[in-house]
Amino acid sequence: MNSLSLKKRALGTTLLTLGLFGTSCTKDYLELQPRNQASTETFYTTQTAAIQATNAAYAHLQQAGFVNHALWIMDIMADNSTTGGGGGTDGIEFQQVDNFSIPPNNVNTTDLFQRAYLGIGAANQVLLHVPDITVIDAGIKSRSLGEAQFLRALYYFYLVRTYGDVPLVLTPAASPAAANSVTRDPAAMVYTQIVTDLTDAIKNLPLPSTYSGDDIGRASKLSAMGLLAKVYLTQGNMSSAGTQADATITAALADGKKLWPDYADNFKPTNENGQESLFEVQFKSGQNAYILEGPGSAINEFWGARFFGNPYVVSNGGYGYNIPEKEFVDGYEAGDKRKASTVFVPGDLYTDGPLDAQGKVQVQPASLQGSPNGYNIRKFYAGGLSTIWDSPLNVPILRLSEMYLIKAEAGGTGALAALNTVRSRAGLPAATNTSQATILNERRYEFAFEMDRWYDLKRTKTLLNNPRLLSKGIKPFNDLLPIPQAERDVNPNLTQNPGY
């Protein structure tokens, strides 16, 4: 196998690729011009180049614009959590989305948009150049193309769900001027391309069982199959969603996948890319620095209890962002085993954290700054495993349990059994129906704080029926987020979503 690790290395871009909108951002990591690097004419000639270019397309999933910062808003905007933090203007970028007073220059909505297009730009480079590489193993070539197709589909899936109509760009821009003159394409067209990319990726990608060593964690055939099921579900194509989810379950079980017996097993470093995983964003520790563009996850510290403990239960003190809502915590069914591994509530012990000054295990207090009810998210708590913004815990994008719940929501033969497969693992009694309300609630607690709740409320058209969102001031146009002003400043062809 190749020696380029997807997991145990910093996923920096070896080749700086032309992202669609990179010229409008001042951050160094979005610079367009390669420095002391090979040109595209000389770079794409070897198998190593194909692997490096493909790795670069993954890198943007880690960065500030995705799970390491921006995507948290998908729980905060919804009813699972609230901003928390230190009050005042602390975390203002989260407060703005929490209260539906979202300006077009919101940091998170801007980062998500720009980072997605950088990832698309990297994937487009692979799809343009790798077919012409002749000195390459056929399996590596097919896999590289499949990974790029999957990643491009994934980036566009986030974009179209978040912003609606977006520019559909399938080849690298010929020049910055060309990139800055594109227009928005209909969401339906974007979804058509997503389905095409995933269909092609399924043909090109291997099963996860074929990966070993440094390649573990790459997108696989099951990743593309599972994402396609979720795309169909989002489109409301229940027949195709159910068929695709069932096919994914069958293929996954045949390849050695299955649900972990304990829900908490999904969020242990020793189980990363494990038996329930279909795709997850890779993180590693070792940087110990305040960097959102590095290989480590900042979630452990950002979500940790704010300035709590002696010593702190997370390195350098937690920031206390993304605080579970009381209604969410109170909504757990009696006996739901998922609660203990999802949230900290007053009285919980930090058994995997540092001891206090008296050598005792620290206890979650009754209230905290930013968390008056004494709640924090436990799901991605890494304790002493990480230091400053440097958690090694991966973040799941697709798990096998989601395929069971998609099958359940799609209805038909086996739907109730699929739902109860998930409920049984959670220690809950069997459900008697697969109504939308039942499934939506089950998804809420199965995938809590996995940054998907907003999308579930949106696709089921329940945003404006949600009491918590109504109390925060949601308006009908908030189902789409604003096109970043920074992009519209350099490209007047980009129209703004209504209401912004």
Side-chain angles (χ1 to χ4, degrees), residues 164-185:
D165 298 348
V166 292
L168 182 61
V169 180
L170 304 178
T171 58
S175 67
N180 289 327
S181 62
V182 297
T183 59
R184 298 171 68 181
D185 292 300

PDB file of all heavy atoms in Angstrom, residues 164-185:
ATOM      1  N   GLY A 164     -29.233  26.407  -0.750  1.00  0.00           N
ATOM      2  CA  GLY A 164     -30.150  26.279  -1.871  1.00  0.00           C
ATOM      3  C   GLY A 164     -29.406  26.297  -3.188  1.00  0.00           C
ATOM      4  O   GLY A 164     -28.444  25.535  -3.373  1.00  0.00           O
ATOM      5  N   ASP A 165     -29.828  27.129  -4.122  1.00  0.00           N
ATOM      6  CA  ASP A 165     -29.149  27.236  -5.421  1.00  0.00           C
ATOM      7  C   ASP A 165     -27.703  27.693  -5.202  1.00  0.00           C
ATOM      8  O   ASP A 165     -27.450  28.682  -4.499  1.00  0.00           O
ATOM      9  CB  ASP A 165     -29.854  28.259  -6.304  1.00  0.00           C
ATOM     10  CG  ASP A 165     -31.291  27.880  -6.612  1.00  0.00           C
ATOM     11  OD1 ASP A 165     -31.684  26.728  -6.350  1.00  0.00           O
ATOM     12  OD2 ASP A 165     -32.031  28.764  -7.109  1.00  0.00           O
ATOM     13  N   VAL A 166     -26.771  26.983  -5.799  1.00  0.00           N
ATOM     14  CA  VAL A 166     -25.347  27.332  -5.692  1.00  0.00           C
ATOM     15  C   VAL A 166     -24.680  27.074  -7.035  1.00  0.00           C
ATOM     16  O   VAL A 166     -25.164  26.271  -7.843  1.00  0.00           O
ATOM     17  CB  VAL A 166     -24.626  26.520  -4.587  1.00  0.00           C
ATOM     18  CG1 VAL A 166     -25.114  26.913  -3.207  1.00  0.00           C
ATOM     19  CG2 VAL A 166     -24.785  25.021  -4.825  1.00  0.00           C
ATOM     20  N   PRO A 167     -23.550  27.743  -7.308  1.00  0.00           N
ATOM     21  CA  PRO A 167     -22.839  27.463  -8.552  1.00  0.00           C
ATOM     22  C   PRO A 167     -22.399  26.004  -8.623  1.00  0.00           C
ATOM     23  O   PRO A 167     -21.801  25.475  -7.680  1.00  0.00           O
ATOM     24  CB  PRO A 167     -21.630  28.400  -8.486  1.00  0.00           C
ATOM     25  CG  PRO A 167     -22.063  29.507  -7.584  1.00  0.00           C
ATOM     26  CD  PRO A 167     -22.927  28.843  -6.553  1.00  0.00           C
ATOM     27  N   LEU A 168     -22.712  25.359  -9.722  1.00  0.00           N
ATOM     28  CA  LEU A 168     -22.306  23.976  -9.952  1.00  0.00           C
ATOM     29  C   LEU A 168     -21.076  24.002 -10.854  1.00  0.00           C
ATOM     30  O   LEU A 168     -21.176  24.229 -12.065  1.00  0.00           O
ATOM     31  CB  LEU A 168     -23.443  23.187 -10.600  1.00  0.00           C
ATOM     32  CG  LEU A 168     -23.180  21.708 -10.868  1.00  0.00           C
ATOM     33  CD1 LEU A 168     -22.902  20.953  -9.568  1.00  0.00           C
ATOM     34  CD2 LEU A 168     -24.363  21.077 -11.596  1.00  0.00           C
ATOM     35  N   VAL A 169     -19.929  23.795 -10.271  1.00  0.00           N
ATOM     36  CA  VAL A 169     -18.657  23.898 -10.986  1.00  0.00           C
ATOM     37  C   VAL A 169     -18.007  22.517 -11.006  1.00  0.00           C
ATOM     38  O   VAL A 169     -17.704  21.952  -9.959  1.00  0.00           O
ATOM     39  CB  VAL A 169     -17.727  24.920 -10.313  1.00  0.00           C
ATOM     40  CG1 VAL A 169     -16.407  25.027 -11.074  1.00  0.00           C
ATOM     41  CG2 VAL A 169     -18.402  26.273 -10.230  1.00  0.00           C
ATOM     42  N   LEU A 170     -17.778  21.979 -12.194  1.00  0.00           N
ATOM     43  CA  LEU A 170     -17.303  20.604 -12.337  1.00  0.00           C
ATOM     44  C   LEU A 170     -15.906  20.518 -12.926  1.00  0.00           C
ATOM     45  O   LEU A 170     -15.374  19.411 -13.071  1.00  0.00           O
ATOM     46  CB  LEU A 170     -18.283  19.803 -13.201  1.00  0.00           C
ATOM     47  CG  LEU A 170     -19.726  19.795 -12.690  1.00  0.00           C
ATOM     48  CD1 LEU A 170     -20.622  19.007 -13.635  1.00  0.00           C
ATOM     49  CD2 LEU A 170     -19.806  19.234 -11.267  1.00  0.00           C
ATOM     50  N   THR A 171     -15.317  21.639 -13.274  1.00  0.00           N
ATOM     51  CA  THR A 171     -13.934  21.676 -13.756  1.00  0.00           C
ATOM     52  C   THR A 171     -13.233  22.855 -13.093  1.00  0.00           C
ATOM     53  O   THR A 171     -13.880  23.839 -12.712  1.00  0.00           O
ATOM     54  CB  THR A 171     -13.861  21.843 -15.280  1.00  0.00           C
ATOM     55  OG1 THR A 171     -14.552  23.054 -15.653  1.00  0.00           O
ATOM     56  CG2 THR A 171     -14.496  20.647 -15.995  1.00  0.00           C
ATOM     57  N   PRO A 172     -11.908  22.790 -12.942  1.00  0.00           N
ATOM     58  CA  PRO A 172     -11.198  23.915 -12.337  1.00  0.00           C
ATOM     59  C   PRO A 172     -11.393  25.191 -13.150  1.00  0.00           C
ATOM     60  O   PRO A 172     -11.427  25.165 -14.380  1.00  0.00           O
ATOM     61  CB  PRO A 172      -9.729  23.461 -12.369  1.00  0.00           C
ATOM     62  CG  PRO A 172      -9.799  21.968 -12.415  1.00  0.00           C
ATOM     63  CD  PRO A 172     -11.018  21.650 -13.230  1.00  0.00           C
ATOM     64  N   ALA A 173     -11.528  26.294 -12.443  1.00  0.00           N
ATOM     65  CA  ALA A 173     -11.696  27.584 -13.119  1.00  0.00           C
ATOM     66  C   ALA A 173     -10.452  27.913 -13.925  1.00  0.00           C
ATOM     67  O   ALA A 173      -9.323  27.678 -13.487  1.00  0.00           O
ATOM     68  CB  ALA A 173     -11.967  28.676 -12.095  1.00  0.00           C
ATOM     69  N   ALA A 174     -10.640  28.454 -15.110  1.00  0.00           N
ATOM     70  CA  ALA A 174      -9.517  28.793 -15.985  1.00  0.00           C
ATOM     71  C   ALA A 174      -8.726  29.978 -15.449  1.00  0.00           C
ATOM     72  O   ALA A 174      -7.532  30.115 -15.735  1.00  0.00           O
ATOM     73  CB  ALA A 174     -10.017  29.087 -17.393  1.00  0.00           C
ATOM     74  N   SER A 175      -9.386  30.829 -14.663  1.00  0.00           N
ATOM     75  CA  SER A 175      -8.728  32.021 -14.140  1.00  0.00           C
ATOM     76  C   SER A 175      -9.548  32.555 -12.985  1.00  0.00           C
ATOM     77  O   SER A 175     -10.735  32.222 -12.845  1.00  0.00           O
ATOM     78  CB  SER A 175      -8.627  33.091 -15.227  1.00  0.00           C
ATOM     79  OG  SER A 175      -9.928  33.560 -15.561  1.00  0.00           O
ATOM     80  N   PRO A 176      -8.952  33.393 -12.134  1.00  0.00           N
ATOM     81  CA  PRO A 176      -9.747  34.027 -11.082  1.00  0.00           C
ATOM     82  C   PRO A 176     -10.929  34.811 -11.636  1.00  0.00           C
ATOM     83  O   PRO A 176     -11.999  34.837 -11.025  1.00  0.00           O
ATOM     84  CB  PRO A 176      -8.734  34.939 -10.390  1.00  0.00           C
ATOM     85  CG  PRO A 176      -7.411  34.278 -10.619  1.00  0.00           C
ATOM     86  CD  PRO A 176      -7.520  33.692 -11.990  1.00  0.00           C
ATOM     87  N   ALA A 177     -10.745  35.443 -12.780  1.00  0.00           N
ATOM     88  CA  ALA A 177     -11.847  36.202 -13.378  1.00  0.00           C
ATOM     89  C   ALA A 177     -13.012  35.291 -13.737  1.00  0.00           C
ATOM     90  O   ALA A 177     -14.184  35.633 -13.540  1.00  0.00           O
ATOM     91  CB  ALA A 177     -11.356  36.936 -14.615  1.00  0.00           C
ATOM     92  N   ALA A 178     -12.687  34.102 -14.254  1.00  0.00           N
ATOM     93  CA  ALA A 178     -13.736  33.148 -14.596  1.00  0.00           C
ATOM     94  C   ALA A 178     -14.440  32.646 -13.336  1.00  0.00           C
ATOM     95  O   ALA A 178     -15.673  32.504 -13.300  1.00  0.00           O
ATOM     96  CB  ALA A 178     -13.150  31.983 -15.382  1.00  0.00           C
ATOM     97  N   ALA A 179     -13.643  32.391 -12.298  1.00  0.00           N
ATOM     98  CA  ALA A 179     -14.220  31.917 -11.044  1.00  0.00           C
ATOM     99  C   ALA A 179     -15.146  32.960 -10.442  1.00  0.00           C
ATOM    100  O   ALA A 179     -16.180  32.624  -9.840  1.00  0.00           O
ATOM    101  CB  ALA A 179     -13.103  31.579 -10.055  1.00  0.00           C
ATOM    102  N   ASN A 180     -14.812  34.211 -10.611  1.00  0.00           N
ATOM    103  CA  ASN A 180     -15.578  35.284  -9.995  1.00  0.00           C
ATOM    104  C   ASN A 180     -16.677  35.837 -10.899  1.00  0.00           C
ATOM    105  O   ASN A 180     -17.125  36.974 -10.712  1.00  0.00           O
ATOM    106  CB  ASN A 180     -14.636  36.409  -9.577  1.00  0.00           C
ATOM    107  CG  ASN A 180     -13.772  36.001  -8.401  1.00  0.00           C
ATOM    108  OD1 ASN A 180     -14.204  35.229  -7.549  1.00  0.00           O
ATOM    109  ND2 ASN A 180     -12.552  36.498  -8.352  1.00  0.00           N
ATOM    110  N   SER A 181     -17.114  35.040 -11.863  1.00  0.00           N
ATOM    111  CA  SER A 181     -18.238  35.459 -12.707  1.00  0.00           C
ATOM    112  C   SER A 181     -19.323  34.406 -12.805  1.00  0.00           C
ATOM    113  O   SER A 181     -20.266  34.551 -13.575  1.00  0.00           O
ATOM    114  CB  SER A 181     -17.730  35.807 -14.118  1.00  0.00           C
ATOM    115  OG  SER A 181     -17.154  34.663 -14.742  1.00  0.00           O
ATOM    116  N   VAL A 182     -19.206  33.330 -12.013  1.00  0.00           N
ATOM    117  CA  VAL A 182     -20.191  32.254 -12.080  1.00  0.00           C
ATOM    118  C   VAL A 182     -21.517  32.709 -11.490  1.00  0.00           C
ATOM    119  O   VAL A 182     -21.592  33.670 -10.710  1.00  0.00           O
ATOM    120  CB  VAL A 182     -19.687  31.002 -11.344  1.00  0.00           C
ATOM    121  CG1 VAL A 182     -18.442  30.448 -12.001  1.00  0.00           C
ATOM    122  CG2 VAL A 182     -19.439  31.306  -9.880  1.00  0.00           C
ATOM    123  N   THR A 183     -22.563  32.008 -11.842  1.00  0.00           N
ATOM    124  CA  THR A 183     -23.893  32.277 -11.302  1.00  0.00           C
ATOM    125  C   THR A 183     -24.395  31.051 -10.558  1.00  0.00           C
ATOM    126  O   THR A 183     -23.839  29.951 -10.678  1.00  0.00           O
ATOM    127  CB  THR A 183     -24.878  32.629 -12.427  1.00  0.00           C
ATOM    128  OG1 THR A 183     -24.937  31.542 -13.358  1.00  0.00           O
ATOM    129  CG2 THR A 183     -24.430  33.895 -13.155  1.00  0.00           C
ATOM    130  N   ARG A 184     -25.459  31.222  -9.800  1.00  0.00           N
ATOM    131  CA  ARG A 184     -26.040  30.119  -9.038  1.00  0.00           C
ATOM    132  C   ARG A 184     -26.880  29.233  -9.962  1.00  0.00           C
ATOM    133  O   ARG A 184     -27.607  29.722 -10.821  1.00  0.00           O
ATOM    134  CB  ARG A 184     -26.896  30.670  -7.903  1.00  0.00           C
ATOM    135  CG  ARG A 184     -26.110  31.490  -6.900  1.00  0.00           C
ATOM    136  CD  ARG A 184     -27.007  32.197  -5.907  1.00  0.00           C
ATOM    137  NE  ARG A 184     -27.680  31.251  -5.009  1.00  0.00           N
ATOM    138  CZ  ARG A 184     -28.530  31.626  -4.063  1.00  0.00           C
ATOM    139  NH1 ARG A 184     -28.847  32.907  -3.914  1.00  0.00           N
ATOM    140  NH2 ARG A 184     -29.098  30.719  -3.285  1.00  0.00           N
ATOM    141  N   ASP A 185     -26.758  27.929  -9.754  1.00  0.00           N
ATOM    142  CA  ASP A 185     -27.539  26.960 -10.519  1.00  0.00           C
ATOM    143  C   ASP A 185     -28.657  26.408  -9.646  1.00  0.00           C
ATOM    144  O   ASP A 185     -28.538  26.359  -8.413  1.00  0.00           O
ATOM    145  CB  ASP A 185     -26.639  25.820 -10.997  1.00  0.00           C
ATOM    146  CG  ASP A 185     -25.641  26.283 -12.043  1.00  0.00           C
ATOM    147  OD1 ASP A 185     -26.076  26.766 -13.096  1.00  0.00           O
ATOM    148  OD2 ASP A 185     -24.414  26.188 -11.799  1.00  0.00           O
TER     149      ASP A 185
END
